[in-house]
Amino acid sequence: MAKITTLKIQEMKDRGEKISMVTAYDYPTACMVEKAGIEIILVGDSLMMAVLGDDSTVSCTMDQMIHHIKPVVKGAPSCLIVGDMPFGSYNESKKQAVHNAARLLKEGRCDVVKLEGGKEVADTVKAIVDAGVPVMAHIGLTPQTVSKLGGFKVQGKGEAAKDVLEDALALQEAGAFSIVLECIPEQLGKLITEKLDIPTIGIGAGRYTDGQVMVFHDMMGLFEKFVPKFVKQYRNLGSEITKALEEYKEDVKSGAFPEEKHTFGGVSEEELKRLY
Ligand code: KIV
């Protein structure tokens, strides 16, 4: 498969072809996503909850992101790889934001960075884009500021819809190449998608966005703490894997594993006798 670029993603919107995107945090998952032909991989800071057991994404560090972006890039050479900028890595100054965005590209080797926020981060987005780094924006429900939002709730309901639309327009103006819309009413997802020239990628934003993103562990049934309404569980690998582990335990206890075919020879009878 030829390498997916930001230009190709824009062309997909222009011709009305839907864009698929999923998270991955390691090499084997990246290899599977690449094989499936999905266009974009997000190495998201959801890593902290899905894989590292935290109850929010806030504690994520630059070093953790770089550590996880590297194997994903190796496993999925054709996909467009987006690296998440952790909370606090772009909020102090434009200089800090450009420095950290460049680190994700130079050390992690991803193609694009993603950061959360609306109008208030538009200048930061512009500074990063001006420095030569493509940016995917992220508005609506922004998990890094979930305490400020008062919990994992649908955003942009009623009069607040105007604010989300203004955020989207400001981020497009600032040079973002696409925008994630998380947990907003379907009608608002449709409106923003129609108003913007750049692609929108929805997660809980309804059926009319230009693309969809899902957290791998949610869609595969590997994260049991809670399953948001917008998640479609394509498999329940968590219970499949638990069943396999129970079988393995039984086999070890009963001696059914290992069988002769899993063993090595190589010591003659004579040699053995001498050793005994
Ligand atoms: O970190 C992440 O996985 C995300 C998605 C929920 C879009 O930001």
Side-chain angles (χ1 to χ4, degrees), residues 110-121:
C110 59
D111 305 301
V112 172
V113 302
K114 177 170 85 58
L115 57 86
E116 296 181 9
K119 305 169 199 66
E120 71 285 2
V121 295

Side-chain angles (χ1 to χ4, degrees), residues 32-151:
M32 291 185 274
V33 177
E34 164 97 5
K35 260 193 207 159
I38 287 173
E39 287 93 11
I40 309 179
I41 295 183
L42 169 64
V43 187
D45 58 3
S46 51
L47 155 78
M48 301 311 293
M49 298 171 78
V51 172
L52 301 182
D54 273 16
D55 53 13
S56 94
T57 59
V58 170
S59 58
C60 188
T61 66
M62 281 293 297
D63 287 345
Q64 281 171 318
M65 282 312 306
I66 290 165
H67 178 81
H68 285 270
I69 291 170
K70 278 182 183 171
V72 170
V73 169
K74 287 183 205 157
S78 312
C79 299
L80 183 77
I81 312 288
V82 182
D84 238 347
M85 296 200 66
F87 178 66
S89 70
Y90 56 94
N91 319 76
E92 283 171 23
S93 64
K94 284 188 244 174
K95 190 172 169 205
Q96 180 219 22
V98 171
H99 173 79
N100 283 325
R103 270 194 77 193
L104 291 190
L105 261 65
K106 282 166 72 157
E107 297 176 46
R109 309 203 73 88
C110 59
D111 305 301
V112 172
V113 302
K114 177 170 85 58
L115 57 86
E116 296 181 9
K119 305 169 199 66
E120 71 285 2
V121 295
D123 283 352
T124 304
V125 168
K126 184 171 180 338
I128 297 173
V129 174
D130 286 349
V133 179
V135 174
M136 179 179 273
H138 182 162
I139 56 174
L141 174 57
T142 44
Q144 291 177 2
T145 46
V146 74
S147 317
K148 195 173 145 198
L149 299 176

Side-chain angles (χ1 to χ4, degrees), residues 229-269:
K229 177 177 182 207
F230 56 74
V231 168
K232 176 169 173 181
Q233 266 198 354
Y234 283 82
R235 293 289 186 280
N236 196 340
L237 297 187
S239 62
E240 275 301 300
I241 292 170
T242 305
K243 263 189 247 154
L245 290 168
E246 284 165 357
E247 277 172 39
Y248 163 70
K249 179 186 165 189
E250 269 313 302
D251 282 357
V252 171
K253 303 272 174 194
S254 69
F257 175 81
E259 296 167 49
E260 194 179 354
K261 65 182 176 194
H262 304 120
T263 67
F264 302 101
V267 185
S268 70
E269 286 297 321

Side-chain angles (χ1 to χ4, degrees), residues 49-51 53-54 217-218 220-228 233:
M49 298 171 78
V51 172
D54 273 16
H217 291 68
D218 286 341
M220 295 302 173
L222 289 166
F223 186 72
E224 289 176 346
K225 274 191 190 160
F226 62 90
V227 182
Q233 266 198 354

